[in-house]
Amino acid sequence: GFQIEESEGAGDKALSIPPDLATCAECEGEVFDPENRRHGYAFTNCTACGPRFTIATDIPYDRQSTTMARFEMCSDCRREYEDSEDRRYHAQPNACPRCGPRLRFVTLGNAVALEREPLRAAATLLRSGGIVGVKGLGGFHLACDARSSAAISKLRERKRRDEKPFAIMVRNLAAARELAELSPEEEALLSGVERPIVLLRARPSAGLAPELSPDTPFLGVFLPYTPLHHLLLGKVEGPLVMTSANVSDEPICKDDDEARRRLSGIADALLVHDREIAMRCDDSVARVISGVPTLMRRSRGFVPRPMMLSTPVSRPILACGAHLKNTFCIAVDDTAYFGPHIGDLESVAALEFFEEAVERMQAILSVRPEVLAHDLHPAYLSTRYALARVAEARVGVQHHHAHVVSAMAEHGVDGPVLGIAFDGTGYGEDGASWGGEFLLSFPERYERLATFRPIRLAGGNVAMREVWRIAYALVDDAFDGAAPIESLALFDAVSGEARGVVAQMLERDLNAPAAHGVGRYFDAFGALALARPESSYEGQVAIAWDVAADEGAHEPYRFELDESTTPPQIDLRPAVREAVGALLAGASPGVISGRFHATLVEATAVVTEQLLGRLGPLPVALTGGVFQNSTLCSGVQAKLHNKYKVLRHQEVPPGDGGIALGQALIADAFLGDKG
Ligand code: ZN
Ligand code: ZN
Ligand code: FE
């Protein structure tokens, strides 16, 4: 028996550590029942709910291999645990106020506790505009009153979080309905056992502070998923900002000492407890994109849920993922496992978390892959990790090919497909930045059939923040050096000297690399039409441009397909000239954005039709971060789905958080029977 079980491999072992599960209705009921022995107890759970992955220290998953090992069950809890009829039978984190973890309220700096009881002390501080670091399942959140402009501004300032939107937690579905009109799919996502943050279009009348989300009407909303959250929200009685506790883009805090160190100066107090977090696991993020629930970040609640592969891999593979929004993936036999969301691999702390999470997932799966898949970009920390680690084989995978194969894998399609991969950037075989790609894709190879005419980025990465540079290059190219720069409001905000430097860079082709990413067109058009010279974070102006579009049908601008280049390029210069003309004639940004989106949809559909006219009716995969844009995604789908099978992402993120799966399958297919 033992032998057979062993050979069944990693799949079964991983299943023995499930993802974390949101508090079930019965446990929630007990927590609010004054007669129940768990009344007010923040660590209540049962076999249907509670922490799992985030408390597991080893396999197999039993109490001794979790951070609950140090708590001796009392006789009542023990009885429940051993009674096969009880709903807490073998609930590994089972606990009660007598024997289990306890809350503690710790003030930082000059703050004082006005109450003795930790939950009340936290609620009182929150209601008076304070910031509290709250220890959750996979890490700390920073909490404050979501209706208080002052509290949110203070948090933004202390956290140095530019202008990125903050997620908010509301008490229940009814409270979520007050903030936004919910579709049935959105309700299902919000109340699902995984409890992701769900992006919703907020009602203007929602009563929330405008500082929550300065650029977009979309708000990240989620429901309580631990008894601690339920109790806290119950006491505060209003929506709370609950944002991952970190500074800038470092990994989420998980230990009490670490929180005290890293969050002093940000939080006024901490609401902590003595159940340790074994594995950091940030919140997942989802959105319904034209009717389809789509994960944008796959982490808490989903990790380490296995994904079945239609074609098993021949050897265990670790795929190291991309650079931004990094997640890695381990594929074994017929199953793939994503690790938790690591974030942007830009700091030592993030790389350490990446390594720690890889080690942990390997331990859980009892596997140490000898084959490593990585991005082609030589400077990515994920690439450097792969190159430094001892391995039998390493396979460099093109970024957009990986995006497409991730979409194929999610649908069990072995190829070939026409992959349409639109994003901000990804390293191309020619060393250029790609991101407007039409790829005939197989698991082991691809052919680049078309792309977008590139925009040059004067100053390289500087242009990501100073997006006016991208706009400058766009109009300069479209008007062949005779652009009406002086007439465009955008450039009023830029000094003549800075403009001169950029003009020189473009003219002499100095530090002005060409980028094919569709995301750069969003930056450039958004900067121009909204007169916004800078992005305070990656994609800020692009997002503002996405949501700027007026609803309804719009006429596309003109565009061309330039077949004199290899591969052919979608040339939007006619569209740029029309849009600039409209802008100067006083057209509204809403109309220009609507027509811009219509142009992208039309160009994508025309090129797809042309390519598939030649190749035959292959399935079409829509992938890459730009396809999180619902106008574009639904527009392209509407044009194609009657003729072709359209593959869209659901549980694998369309953005860079999803590419590790494709990397793993490409590496395996590439090696074939070798290696
Ligand atoms: Zn329960
Ligand atoms: Zn107990
Ligand atoms: Fe990408």
Side-chain angles (χ1 to χ4, degrees):
F2 182 72
Q3 280 298 331
I4 291 165
E5 263 198 281
E6 272 295 273
S7 68
E8 276 176 10
D12 305 314
K13 285 174 191 150
L15 285 173
S16 73
I17 301 184
D20 301 290
L21 303 163
T23 307
C24 72
E26 273 168 297
C27 286
E28 187 191 341
E30 286 186 8
V31 167
F32 287 102
D33 173 7
E35 303 297 309
N36 194 281
R37 74 187 189 93
R38 291 189 171 86
H39 179 235
Y41 187 53
F43 305 92
T44 303
N45 65 85
C46 72
T47 42
C49 77
R52 301 285 189 272
F53 175 69
T54 53
I55 57 165
T57 53
D58 203 353
I59 50 164
Y61 176 70
D62 61 29
R63 189 164 177 112
Q64 286 317 304
S65 306
T66 69
T67 57
M68 285 298 292
R70 53 184 285 218
F71 299 96
E72 181 88 26
M73 270 186 259
C74 69
S75 54
D76 289 341
C77 287
R78 170 69 53 190
R79 199 172 312 119
E80 294 164 340
Y81 183 83
E82 286 171 355
D83 177 1
S84 62
E85 302 292 301
D86 195 278
R87 66 185 192 86
R88 296 200 163 91
Y89 176 58
H90 284 186
Q92 304 305 341
N94 190 28
C96 77
R98 202 138 63 89
C99 66
R102 279 172 203 194
L103 287 174
R104 221 151 38 88
F105 183 74
V106 182
T107 54
L108 300 173
N110 301 325
V112 274
L114 297 171
E115 304 267 357
R116 288 187 68 134
E117 200 277 311
L119 270 168
R120 259 197 239 163
T124 306
L125 183 57
L126 287 167
R127 275 198 306 258
S128 65
I131 298 170
V132 179
V134 179
K135 188 175 183 179
L137 271 188
F140 278 73
H141 285 112
L142 286 164
C144 74
D145 184 348
R147 291 166 304 192
S148 163
S149 292
I152 294 167
S153 302
K154 187 165 71 178
L155 177 57
R156 241 179 232 296
E157 193 179 301
R158 291 185 184 173
K159 201 180 176 219
R160 281 180 268 147
R161 193 181 164 99
D162 313 316
E163 290 162 9
K164 277 188 202 174
F166 286 130
I168 61 172
M169 187 179 271
V170 296
R171 205 173 165 184
N172 50 33
L173 217 42
R177 286 190 198 109
E178 284 172 25
L179 300 184
E181 198 171 315
L182 303 180
S183 68
E185 292 83 7
E186 286 165 340
E187 296 211 351
L189 272 179
L190 277 169
S191 52
V193 77
E194 302 91 354
R195 293 287 153 97
I197 294 170
V198 182
L199 296 188
L200 302 171
R201 187 179 277 269
R203 299 180 202 275
S205 60
L208 298 166
E211 291 80 2
L212 266 181
S213 172
D215 289 301
T216 124
F218 283 93
L219 267 186
V221 177
F222 57 153
L223 300 187
Y225 53 85
T226 69
L228 172 56
H229 297 147
H230 284 288
L231 291 163
L232 189 61
L233 269 288
K235 286 201 163 38
V236 176
E237 288 176 348
L240 284 179
V241 166
M242 287 285 260
T243 182
S244 294
N246 53 9
V247 180
S248 302
D249 292 313
E250 294 204 337
I252 187 170
C253 270
K254 82 173 174 69
D255 300 321
D256 296 7
D257 286 345
E258 181 191 9
R260 207 165 306 166
R261 208 175 54 243
R262 285 172 58 193
L263 302 183
S264 67
I266 302 179
D268 300 306
L270 303 177
L271 183 58
V272 296
H273 55 74
D274 49 1
R275 187 182 73 203
E276 279 172 51
I277 297 169
M279 194 65 226
R280 272 174 239 275
C281 202
D282 235 310
D283 294 313
S284 295
V285 182
R287 178 175 178 185
V288 176
I289 301 174
S290 61
V292 180
T294 310
L295 274 182
M296 294 165 69
R297 181 202 287 171
R298 190 181 191 282
S299 198
R300 181 198 38 82
F302 292 91
V303 176
R305 185 194 284 180
M307 304 196 67
M308 300 311 292
L309 302 173
S310 59
T311 308
V313 291
S314 309
R315 72 285 278 166
I317 294 175
L318 166 65
C320 298
H323 179 60
L324 298 177
K325 303 178 182 74
N326 179 281
T327 41
F328 60 86
C329 177
I330 295 177
V332 188
D333 300 331
D334 60 354
T335 317
Y337 306 88
F338 273 103
H341 166 78
I342 306 289
D344 299 348
L345 278 183
E346 300 209 299
S347 62
V348 176
L351 182 62
E352 282 171 1
F353 175 31
F354 173 88
E355 292 176 348
E356 166 196 330
V358 166
E359 290 298 324
R360 179 60 59 90
M361 286 292 284
Q362 289 177 164
I364 287 176
L365 299 171
S366 300
V367 64
R368 191 172 174 85
E370 297 286 345
V371 172
L372 306 176
H374 61 83
D375 196 89
L376 286 182
H377 200 302
Y380 282 3
L381 291 183
S382 53
T383 304
R384 291 204 206 153
Y385 170 87
L387 297 181
R389 175 168 157 162
V390 176
E392 273 172 19
R394 296 183 192 84
V395 181
V397 176
Q398 203 281 320
H399 185 97
H400 304 94
H401 186 208
H403 271 305
V404 176
V405 175
S406 281
M408 288 162 61
E410 190 167 8
H411 294 274
V413 172
D414 291 333
V417 309
L418 179 65
I420 304 179
F422 291 172
D423 63 6
T425 184
Y427 198 80
E429 305 271 358
D430 57 0
S433 167
W434 294 5
E437 310 309 314
F438 293 75
L439 307 178
L440 172 62
S441 299
F442 304 81
E444 74 284 4
R445 67 188 169 86
Y446 70 94
E447 211 177 305
R448 191 183 190 208
L449 300 180
T451 186
F452 275 71
R453 179 179 175 87
I455 308 179
R456 287 192 300 149
L457 309 180
N461 275 337
V462 177
M464 298 302 167
R465 275 185 181 252
E466 296 186 20
V467 285
W468 68 268
R469 293 168 181 248
I470 310 180
Y472 192 102
L474 181 83
V475 293
D476 187 60
D477 184 34
F479 289 90
D480 213 5
I485 298 288
E486 302 294 334
S487 319
L488 291 162
L490 167 68
F491 299 110
D492 291 349
V494 179
S495 75
E497 195 188 339
R499 269 190 259 156
V501 170
V502 163
Q504 287 277 309
M505 282 173 153
L506 294 172
E507 197 184 311
R508 297 192 193 164
D509 204 9
L510 285 173
N511 192 19
H516 297 270
V518 173
R520 298 290 86 86
Y521 280 93
F522 279 80
D523 286 333
F525 272 80
L528 268 181
L530 302 173
R532 291 184 58 162
E534 286 182 26
S535 264
S536 86
Y537 58 89
E538 208 233 348
Q540 183 185 26
V541 168
I543 290 166
W545 188 234
D546 169 359
V547 300
D550 287 348
E551 290 199 22
H554 294 273
E555 189 70 15
Y557 293 125
R558 280 182 297 115
F559 59 88
E560 281 161 19
L561 183 64
D562 180 359
E563 304 203 66
S564 70
T565 58
T566 311
Q569 292 178 351
I570 295 171
D571 182 352
L572 294 185
R573 283 177 300 175
V576 176
R577 289 190 293 267
E578 275 193 82
V580 166
L583 190 61
L584 294 177
S588 77
V591 168
I592 298 176
S593 177
R595 296 194 64 183
F596 167 81
H597 280 85
T599 310
L600 285 183
V601 167
E602 184 67 16
T604 304
V606 164
V607 170
T608 301
E609 293 270 6
Q610 191 173 324
L611 294 172
L612 293 184
R614 208 165 71 217
L615 297 167
L618 301 179
V620 178
L622 307 183
T623 186
V626 169
F627 279 107
Q628 291 170 2
N629 175 315
S630 64
T631 314
L632 183 64
C633 190
S634 56
V636 171
Q637 185 175 23
K639 291 229 178 233
L640 298 178
H641 82 275
N642 285 334
K643 275 183 152 170
Y644 312 105
K645 181 175 171 155
V646 177
L647 312 177
R648 285 178 50 186
H649 286 280
Q650 278 188 266
E651 214 185 285
V652 177
D656 287 1
I659 78 166
L661 176 62
Q663 290 178 335
L665 301 188
I666 291 166
D668 188 66
F670 177 80
L671 292 172
D673 298 329
K674 299 173 288 192

